[in-house]
Amino acid sequence: MQIGMVGLGRMGANLVRRLMADGHRCVVYDLDSEAVRELEKEGAAAASSLHDLVDKLEQPRNVWLMLPAGVVQPTLEQLVALLATDDTVIDGGNSYYRDDMARAVQLAPSGIHYVDCGTSGGVWGLERGYCLMIGGEDAAVERLDPVFRTIAPGTGDAEPTRGRTRTDGTAPEGYLHCGPSGAGHFVKMVHNGVEYGMMAAIAEGLSIIKHADAGLRSRSVDAETAPLREPEAYRYEIDVAEVAEVWRRGSVVGSWLVDLVADALARSPGLDAYTGRVSDSGEGRWTVLAAVDESVPAPVISAALTQRYESRGLGEFTDKVLSAMRGEFGGHAEKTG
């Protein structure tokens, strides 16, 4: 198939490479002309503008947007003026699913199809394939099946699910039509919320192991410092990098996330290149909002989201208020170290 790709960042460029490797023809556009030239060298057709990209696509056109959520709407508005009935726009980024619902309604009068496609795989997707969670009309999604099948990882070396008796469906191939407009990004949103919780649990666990030597270190002895009651129970100097490595081998918590942290720790046991500031691009908070709307308890994801805010210093004023209250009611002076 022929497909246009708008947005050639970390994932967009590799999506193009994966598509071209399987024989699909790609027309590419990005504000970064160097990114366009690089893929042109690899066989993609270069476009100098959205108008040029649309002109180079055969009808019915397929345009994949791989853009930050905040850029999708203005880009879509430019595209709508250039596209025609039966063309399809695929949003492969991390848009809010409610925006997808509104965009599908917006495009319906013009006969342009809108497909939301949650895409997971990060910078490793070129090699491993991308897990795809898709929302949209049946006909539009079915027409794009060859594209989704190429991008997805396929069955690969994953063990078949023991209890699965279904012989239909594409989920074992790594892509799934989840439902109508917004359903794909809804599932991807929750996927990322789960990711927040898993990442936080792994990080906290390894930190507890790292500090298992608390009984070997001197502690302040004063009214402001809780004593370590049994320091003899915390005299382990455990190699955290090796723990991450052993957890990869047959452990219940073994996972791709553990694989990645093991690699990071092997290269830098102190993770010296990182400051500990953790961003959130929206999916975690949207997941928590959905949990509230559905009255579904989600304490782990909620706590993981809050931890990300804390990592960015957004709890600093809270901490100052706490310290002020201790000083006011009990005369507790702040410790400086």
Side-chain angles (χ1 to χ4, degrees), residues 13-94:
N14 281 344
L15 284 169
V16 170
R17 293 184 175 103
R18 192 166 174 89
L19 286 163
M20 291 194 301
D22 200 34
H24 298 280
R25 294 168 295 129
C26 295
V27 182
V28 299
Y29 172 67
D30 194 283
L31 293 176
D32 181 356
S33 57
E34 182 55 39
V36 175
R37 283 193 293 270
E38 187 62 36
L39 283 170
E40 184 180 26
K41 293 176 188 175
E42 298 178 35
S48 58
S49 65
L50 288 176
H51 194 288
D52 188 31
L53 178 132
V54 170
D55 281 348
K56 289 178 176 175
L57 292 172
E58 303 158 1
Q59 291 184 272
R61 306 174 185 90
N62 303 305
V63 182
W64 187 299
L65 305 180
M66 207 63 191
L67 300 167
V71 182
V72 171
Q73 187 61 32
T75 304
L76 185 62
E77 289 171 1
Q78 293 180 61
L79 271 174
V80 168
L82 304 171
L83 297 175
T85 298
D86 210 29
D87 290 347
T88 302
V89 177
I90 308 103
D91 180 3
N94 283 325

Side-chain angles (χ1 to χ4, degrees), residues 113-128:
H113 309 291
Y114 183 85
V115 173
D116 51 285
C117 182
T119 308
S120 180
V123 296
W124 298 88
L126 175 60
E127 176 186 346
R128 293 167 54 100

Side-chain angles (χ1 to χ4, degrees), residues 89-287:
V89 177
I90 308 103
D91 180 3
N94 283 325
S95 291
Y96 191 25
Y97 78 96
R98 296 192 183 198
D99 292 339
D100 296 318
M101 296 167 65
R103 287 165 185 157
V105 171
Q106 173 194 346
L107 297 187
S110 62
I112 299 170
H113 309 291
Y114 183 85
V115 173
D116 51 285
C117 182
T119 308
S120 180
V123 296
W124 298 88
L126 175 60
E127 176 186 346
R128 293 167 54 100
Y130 297 87
C131 176
L132 303 177
M133 294 144 273
I134 306 159
E137 312 159 60
D138 290 349
V141 173
E142 288 169 9
R143 187 168 75 189
L144 289 163
D145 188 78
V147 169
F148 297 139
R149 187 173 293 274
T150 289
I151 293 170
T155 55
D157 57 3
E159 290 290 328
T161 301
R162 291 183 183 181
R164 184 179 174 88
T165 57
R166 289 185 58 173
T167 56
D168 63 335
T170 60
E173 303 288 331
Y175 67 105
L176 178 67
H177 183 195
C178 302
S181 294
H185 276 150
F186 185 89
V187 174
K188 178 56 162 51
M189 171 188 80
V190 178
H191 164 283
N192 282 24
V194 171
E195 180 184 293
Y196 280 31
M198 292 173 67
M199 291 172 67
I202 292 167
E204 289 173 11
L206 291 175
S207 184
I208 292 168
I209 291 170
K210 178 178 175 59
H211 292 92
D213 63 350
L216 298 174
R217 290 183 273 110
S218 61
R219 295 167 66 91
S220 299
V221 180
D222 56 47
E224 301 301 316
T225 306
L228 183 61
R229 292 179 60 86
E230 298 178 281
E232 65 275 9
Y234 300 98
R235 291 179 176 170
Y236 302 116
E237 295 179 301
I238 301 171
D239 189 328
V240 177
E242 290 298 275
V243 170
E245 183 64 30
V246 78
W247 280 359
R248 298 182 60 217
R249 318 287 174 171
S251 163
V252 171
V253 301
S255 63
W256 187 33
L257 290 172
V258 172
D259 292 347
L260 295 175
V261 78
D263 184 55
L265 288 166
R267 287 183 278 110
S268 175
L271 301 178
D272 299 324
Y274 300 94
T275 64
R277 186 191 189 282
V278 187
S279 298
D280 76 289
S281 53
E283 297 86 352
R285 64 180 71 189
W286 298 335
T287 303

Side-chain angles (χ1 to χ4, degrees), residues 189 283-293 296 298 301-303 305:
M189 171 188 80
E283 297 86 352
R285 64 180 71 189
W286 298 335
T287 303
V288 171
L289 289 173
V292 171
D293 285 344
V296 173
I301 296 173
S302 299
L305 175 64

Side-chain angles (χ1 to χ4, degrees), residues 278 280 284-285 302 304-315:
V278 187
D280 76 289
R285 64 180 71 189
S302 299
L305 175 64
T306 301
Q307 183 185 47
R308 293 195 176 200
Y309 299 157
E310 185 67 42
S311 79
R312 305 202 295 269
L314 297 176

